[in-house]
Amino acid sequence: MSRSQKFLVLNATNVKNPFFIRQEFQKALQKEGLIEEIDLQDDIEIQETGKNATLKKLEITNLNFRDSKSAVEKIWRINLEQEIPGISTKGNTTEVALAVLQRFYLGSYSLNIILIELKSSLQKPKNKKPSTLVDIHNKFKDTMNRMYMLLTLNNHYNPQKQYNEQTIYVKIKGAVVYNKNNISNDDGSELYSVLQNSKKLISCSSILDDKDKIEVKFFPKQSGDDEESRVIALSDLL
């Protein structure tokens, strides 16, 4: 079969090695490095490449988290700033998103989409430039839309998957890891109240819902933390 023959749906039985667009597109995204499945025995390392960044690395540990109610079964890393022509939106999304499939022992699943942003400092508005919090909120909006699009590529009813007949809830979470906070007054963003309370569910307009929700948590530098790197357990993100 010529690779020029590409199928969305195929009902014929006489075609050898059919080229299904959704399946092959998933493989191509993995090959390009946009999506990668993570070994739960490893750690996840996220690098900040900005020239002036003081916070340069985040390490996420204890990936095989489990407790009395649930267990993490799979983790996919989505490298949102990976350069792919026609697909990349570099600069408009968070550095990385993690898709964490968490199985609850009562029978349901939760797919936690964790949007991770590293910031050396949080800055107030200056010279018509929005505050860091407004910029992060906008990145969350763009990343949510992109993640919704990527989720539709997967065939969750594929009988080869162990969770094909299960209920899977999607939860969107944001994690902001930073060193310094230079914002002393309310900048008008919803994230300002989260910054004061550490963790909160806020509205975040998406293509699916103009009052979509995202749970955001801030991780400030503690007295014992290194200036250039941070270590966070996966359970703290969940």
Side-chain angles (χ1 to χ4, degrees):
M1 181 194 75
S2 170
R3 290 180 69 88
S4 62
Q5 289 184 279
K6 299 178 177 64
F7 299 94
L8 289 176
V9 179
L10 176 64
N11 289 315
T13 59
N14 60 344
V15 180
K16 294 182 179 179
N17 302 317
F19 187 99
F20 291 107
I21 292 176
R22 178 166 58 181
Q23 179 178 304
E24 297 300 327
F25 191 63
Q26 287 177 327
K27 292 179 182 178
L29 291 179
Q30 289 181 320
K31 184 178 179 180
E32 292 290 335
L34 179 67
I35 300 173
E36 54 181 315
E37 186 171 342
I38 303 298
D39 188 328
L40 298 186
Q41 302 305 314
D42 294 340
D43 295 332
I44 295 174
E45 188 175 289
I46 298 171
Q47 299 279 354
E48 170 57 67
T49 57
K51 293 181 179 180
N52 299 320
T54 56
L55 178 56
K56 298 180 180 180
K57 184 176 73 172
L58 170 64
E59 186 176 354
I60 302 172
T61 62
N62 302 325
L63 304 187
N64 56 347
F65 167 75
R66 62 181 61 237
D67 59 17
S68 61
K69 296 181 180 179
S70 67
V72 169
E73 289 205 338
K74 290 182 180 291
I75 300 177
W76 296 270
R77 171 178 174 147
I78 298 91
N79 299 305
L80 293 160
E81 294 190 340
Q82 184 75 13
E83 296 276 7
I84 303 176
I87 295 176
S88 300
T89 55
K90 189 174 182 180
N92 296 325
T93 60
T94 59
E95 280 93 353
V96 167
L98 300 180
V100 182
L101 185 66
Q102 187 176 11
R103 178 174 63 88
F104 290 86
Y105 301 136
L106 293 178
S108 64
Y109 284 79
S110 175
L111 184 63
N112 302 277
I113 306 297
I114 306 172
L115 315 182
I116 299 174
E117 184 72 7
L118 304 185
K119 288 294 180 185
S120 297
S121 63
L122 306 178
Q123 299 291 338
K124 60 186 178 181
K126 184 178 181 180
N127 298 329
K128 297 183 179 181
K129 184 179 179 180
S131 72
T132 305
L133 297 182
V134 171
D135 179 61
I136 292 173
H137 200 173
N138 289 333
K139 284 188 175 184
F140 283 161
K141 293 177 185 178
D142 289 356
T143 308
M144 286 171 69
N145 284 340
R146 195 170 186 207
M147 290 305 303
Y148 284 143
M149 181 180 66
L150 290 173
L151 286 176
T152 63
L153 292 175
N154 194 28
N155 180 7
H156 295 94
Y157 293 100
N158 189 327
Q160 294 179 350
K161 299 183 182 298
Q162 295 180 354
Y163 51 86
N164 65 301
E165 295 181 354
Q166 303 294 329
T167 297
I168 304 176
Y169 298 92
V170 175
K171 297 179 180 179
I172 309 291
K173 303 172 184 286
V176 182
V177 185
Y178 68 95
N179 277 346
K180 297 180 180 179
N181 177 18
N182 295 323
I183 300 176
S184 55
N185 298 311
D186 192 341
D187 63 349
S189 73
E190 284 197 66
L191 285 180
Y192 182 79
S193 62
V194 187
L195 184 61
Q196 306 307 306
N197 297 300
S198 178
K199 179 179 179 181
K200 187 178 178 182
L201 190 69
I202 65 169
S203 297
C204 195
S205 174
S206 75
I207 194 172
L208 298 183
D209 187 348
D210 60 359
K211 294 183 179 179
D212 214 335
K213 300 295 183 181
I214 179 172
E215 185 181 89
V216 180
K217 187 175 183 179
F218 282 85
F219 294 85
K221 180 181 179 297
Q222 304 297 321
S223 57
D225 290 337
D226 186 81
E227 186 80 11
E228 293 189 354
S229 63
R230 197 74 55 81
V231 178
I232 296 176
L234 178 64
S235 58
D236 291 331
L237 298 176
L238 293 174

